[in-house]
Amino acid sequence: MPQIECRNLSLAYENHIVVSDLNFDVNAGEYICIVGENGSGKSTLVRALLGLKSPSSGSIRFGDGLSQNTIGYLPQQSSIQRDFPASVREIVLSGCRSSGFSPIYSKRDHSIANENLERLGISDLAGHCYRELSGGQQQRVLLARCLCAARNLILLDEPTAGLDPTVTAEFYHLIAAINRDGMTVIMVSHDIPASLHYASHILHIARHPLFFGVTADYVKSEIGSHFIEHFHGGDVSV
Amino acid sequence: MFDLLTRMFSYPFLTRALIAGVLISLSAALLGVPLVLKRYAMIGDGLSHVGFGALAIAVAVNAAPLAVAIPIVIVAAFLLLRLTENSAVKGDSAIALISTGSLAIGVMVISASTGMNVDVNSYMFGSILAMSSSDLALSIILSAVVLTLFVIFYHRIFAITFDESFAAATGLHARFYTMLIALLTALTIVIGMRLMGALLISALVIFPPLTSMRVFKSFRSVVISSAILSVCCFTVGMMISYAYSTPTGASVVCVYIAVYLIFALIGAVKGRIK
């Protein structure tokens, strides 16, 4: 069974159906980009995958060692976080939930947090204040927290929004490396060239699912080529 | 200073007010940290005004003040939280609507029943004589509950305050914890408002976290600093109130203002040195 199996999924936002008849599978190790225009239901789909919203019809099933609560989630940054007094370690640890109901983080939680700080190259920032970091560093901190919470799949919601091109490129490299290590990646993205470059599969939605399949087929498809041309003048290398 | 404290403790009503006040102040400061960080600080202000209206009605119908005020303020807390979460209704103006509305109703009820007199003044700005021994018992229970829950749920409160959607995605019932904080804030405000005054009680919620945030940069240090500040500032405020016969609530808030300015200065100097 795939890690996530969506069948005939319909999602509503404030009683309006935003996406219907959605069918797709996510298998271990894949890198899926969800693309589509603003208001096409991408965020609603993310909330449904996380269990924060129930589908109006159809089903989302989890398998292959994945359960809904072990999806690592990287949300878009909120305005609250910008001046929040918190150390990097406090934030990364908040992704660790292996201790269940205990009010104290276990040794295991601390070692998971340290491992992920190390993995993203931000160990030296552990004692720093989150609000004093650069945008790219903040995003790495949130990614480390996301990895602490993830068993085998991470879900990223426009992770490079607001980052400069160099930092964005570094961030994509990081995600690609994490994906090569066996982590399934689902990313909502506006960045079409990067999606085509890195993703193994593309899900294009706009009320109805317009395309789901491997990236190479997407580029050749009518909707794919049209979308790429429309947004980027066709100047895309895969 | 010791002499002053010993003299204060020789009056049972002052001892009661000091102990109850310190405990209420501590609870308010702890709850204030997530409230301020989540931009819900206005809820504290709204609740105190609703509490004022509720107390006025209780006095008018000759009922026990807390028996009337506690349920009304708890209902208001849930209502205000919904309004704040639902951006379509424009949360901050809705809070202003409810708080000025309840203030007006309270004043009308008081003037119709007893006439505008000293009572109104003591409701609005607090009275040191207001704390009975049952109020003291209530504040001990309340602060014990707040402290226990805060310690047990500390990491969850952090996770939800910092990032509600991430916390919810890992399976935390974010709404439940926010409701719990709102409920405890409602209780703290109702119990503390006759001592501090309806117009001043929300200072206990807002000042400690905002002051601490000027200097401290991790969640834990902000929480600890808020707790220490709340106890110290309240005690100093009461001593000033006793020594110079000033109103308690206003004295405490003035101490908070002074400490805030000092912390802001320290924060600015620290930032400069870096």
Side-chain angles (χ1 to χ4, degrees), chain A residues 51-129:
Chain A
L52 305 178
K53 173 160 200 60
S54 36
S56 36
S57 66
S59 67
I60 304 175
R61 293 191 359 184
F62 298 90
D64 197 9
L66 183 73
S67 67
Q68 204 153 37
N69 288 345
T70 57
I71 295 177
Y73 177 40
L74 181 67
Q76 294 183 37
Q77 285 210 47
S78 69
S79 60
I80 287 181
Q81 290 162 4
R82 254 169 243 139
D83 54 353
F84 199 100
S87 73
V88 168
R89 184 177 298 282
E90 282 179 321
I91 293 169
V92 175
L93 269 171
S94 74
C96 298
R97 304 266 296 123
S98 73
S99 41
F101 249 98
S102 161
I104 302 165
Y105 287 119
S106 64
K107 267 207 177 107
R108 192 167 148 244
D109 287 334
H110 280 280
S111 69
I112 292 172
N114 286 335
E115 228 168 76
N116 285 311
L117 283 167
E118 189 80 33
R119 191 174 182 184
L120 300 184
I122 47 172
S123 298
D124 53 326
L125 296 179
H128 281 58
C129 176

Side-chain angles (χ1 to χ4, degrees), chain A residues 9-42:
Chain A
L9 189 66
S10 288
L11 300 168
Y13 182 75
E14 286 175 356
N15 296 326
H16 295 287
I17 298 282
V18 287
V19 190
S20 54
D21 298 324
L22 198 54
N23 286 289
F24 67 94
D25 291 339
V26 180
N27 292 296
E30 289 179 346
Y31 187 141
I32 298 183
C33 276
I34 303 175
V35 300
E37 287 167 46
N38 286 334
S40 58
K42 301 190 296 280

Side-chain angles (χ1 to χ4, degrees), chain B:
Chain B
M1 191 171 137
F2 253 118
D3 193 37
L4 190 67
L5 271 177
T6 344
R7 261 190 293 149
M8 283 171 72
F9 276 120
S10 65
Y11 300 97
F13 78 93
L14 275 183
T15 314
R16 272 205 304 271
L18 185 62
I19 296 174
V22 163
L23 293 175
I24 290 164
S25 182
L26 178 63
S27 309
L30 289 179
L31 296 167
V33 177
L35 284 177
V36 165
L37 287 171
K38 272 181 92 64
R39 312 274 197 273
Y40 287 166
M42 276 302 288
I43 286 181
D45 204 45
L47 289 181
S48 59
H49 290 71
V50 173
F52 172 79
L55 281 189
I57 291 170
V59 172
V61 300
N62 237 335
L66 291 184
V68 176
I70 289 178
I72 292 183
V73 175
I74 288 175
V75 170
F78 290 139
L79 201 66
L80 286 175
L81 207 60
R82 282 201 78 105
L83 288 175
T84 317
E85 283 172 352
N86 190 349
S87 55
V89 196
K90 295 281 171 290
D92 52 346
S93 25
I95 290 177
L97 203 84
I98 289 179
S99 60
T100 49
S102 349
L103 199 60
I105 291 173
V107 172
M108 291 297 269
V109 170
I110 291 172
S111 70
S113 56
T114 57
M116 293 291 272
N117 53 21
V118 193
D119 272 1
V120 180
N121 196 30
S122 77
Y123 280 172
M124 291 222 183
F125 303 107
S127 161
I128 194 95
L129 301 168
M131 284 284 141
S132 67
S133 34
S134 67
D135 289 328
L136 177 62
L138 262 180
S139 27
I140 292 173
I141 296 170
L142 173 78
S143 55
V145 170
V146 171
L147 275 174
T148 314
L149 290 179
F150 211 86
V151 170
I152 295 177
F153 293 137
Y154 174 78
H155 291 302
R156 283 147 199 253
I157 291 172
F158 170 78
I160 286 157
T161 312
F162 182 71
D163 193 337
E164 196 168 320
S165 25
F166 177 85
T170 59
L172 282 184
H173 294 283
R175 239 187 119 65
F176 167 78
Y177 292 98
T178 315
M179 287 287 187
L180 186 67
I181 289 170
L183 174 75
L184 293 171
T185 310
L187 289 173
T188 308
I189 281 172
V190 175
I191 297 172
M193 66 180 281
R194 280 166 309 148
L195 179 66
M196 282 294 290
L199 296 184
L200 295 173
I201 179 80
S202 56
L204 296 186
V205 175
I206 295 165
F207 266 101
L210 278 184
T211 307
S212 309
M213 278 164 65
R214 305 303 305 205
V215 172
F216 294 102
K217 288 174 179 173
S218 73
F219 188 74
R220 197 203 330 222
S221 55
V222 168
V223 168
I224 294 171
S225 153
S226 298
I228 294 172
L229 280 184
S230 68
V231 172
C232 296
C233 292
F234 191 87
T235 311
V236 173
M238 274 251 338
M239 286 163 72
I240 291 173
S241 155
Y242 173 73
Y244 300 99
S245 313
T246 49
T248 314
S251 312
V252 172
V253 177
C254 284
V255 174
Y256 269 131
I257 294 173
V259 174
Y260 179 85
L261 292 176
I262 296 170
F263 270 56
L265 190 72
I266 297 173
V269 170
K270 262 176 84 175
R272 189 69 57 86
I273 291 170
K274 246 185 180 176

